[in-house]
Structure formats: structure tokens, C-alpha cells
Amino acid sequence: MRDAVALEELGVPTVTVISTAFAPLAQVVSEGIGQMSLPIIVVPHPLGDREARVIRKYGEDIAEQCARVLTTPVETLLREFKDKPYPLPAADMPR
């Protein structure tokens, strides 16, 4: 995420893709580094135990979301992501 912030500060649009298991942590980190509006796309967790066709569909959906974020005006993204909540996953993750 720090790389995304550094690139954004240089005027390079970014999007961070993270799974639901780590979304709350990503929100805390983005707040901690003063980038509450950093675009974060959340994908289901885990991905690795899915069928290839399901993973392919996720990839297509993620690519579409990334393209939208990377081509949306900054002002719109600031409004969209500034106060977006990233709740904890519904189930506890096994340790």
C-alpha cells in the first residue's frame, strides 16, 4: 500500500486489490498513512481453493473494477473511497 501511496503522490493512478480477510487491515493502514481515499478493491477470500473457471470469472470482474478505478476522475474516487467501510469477514479465519 505504501507503493500505491508513493505512486499516487507522483500522479500515477493506482488500485490496491486485497482479499476480504485483509480488508480491515488495509483500511487501518491507509488511515495510518493518511490516505483514507486510496482505492481498494476487495475480492473474496480464499481464492486458491476455487475451480479454474471461478477464478477466471473473479479475474475478469477484478480487471473490470480496476479499469474503472484507473479511468475515473480523482474527485469521484475521493468521494467513493474516503469513508468506505471494510467490515471484518463474516467468519473467523482459522489459525
Side-chain angles (χ1 to χ4, degrees):
M1 290 186 63
R2 292 187 183 277
D3 292 339
V5 170
L7 288 167
E8 290 280 349
E9 289 174 351
L10 293 172
V12 178
T14 67
V15 60
T16 300
V17 179
I18 195 158
S19 75
T20 52
F22 299 100
L25 175 60
Q27 185 173 27
V28 169
V29 170
S30 66
E31 290 173 3
I33 57 181
Q35 295 291 331
M36 287 77 69
S37 59
L38 191 67
I40 299 172
I41 293 176
V42 180
V43 299
H45 182 88
L47 284 177
D49 66 345
R50 313 282 174 142
E51 295 178 25
R53 67 177 177 75
V54 173
I55 294 172
R56 186 176 305 110
K57 176 66 173 132
Y58 282 153
E60 291 168 358
D61 293 344
I62 293 164
E64 185 177 307
Q65 291 179 59
C66 288
R68 183 190 66 79
V69 167
L70 293 172
T71 58
T72 298
V74 173
E75 297 78 20
T76 303
L77 293 174
L78 290 174
R79 287 190 302 274
E80 180 179 342
F81 288 96
K82 184 172 187 276
D83 296 316
K84 185 174 181 177
Y86 297 100
L88 292 171
D92 292 334
M93 300 302 297
R95 294 180 183 235

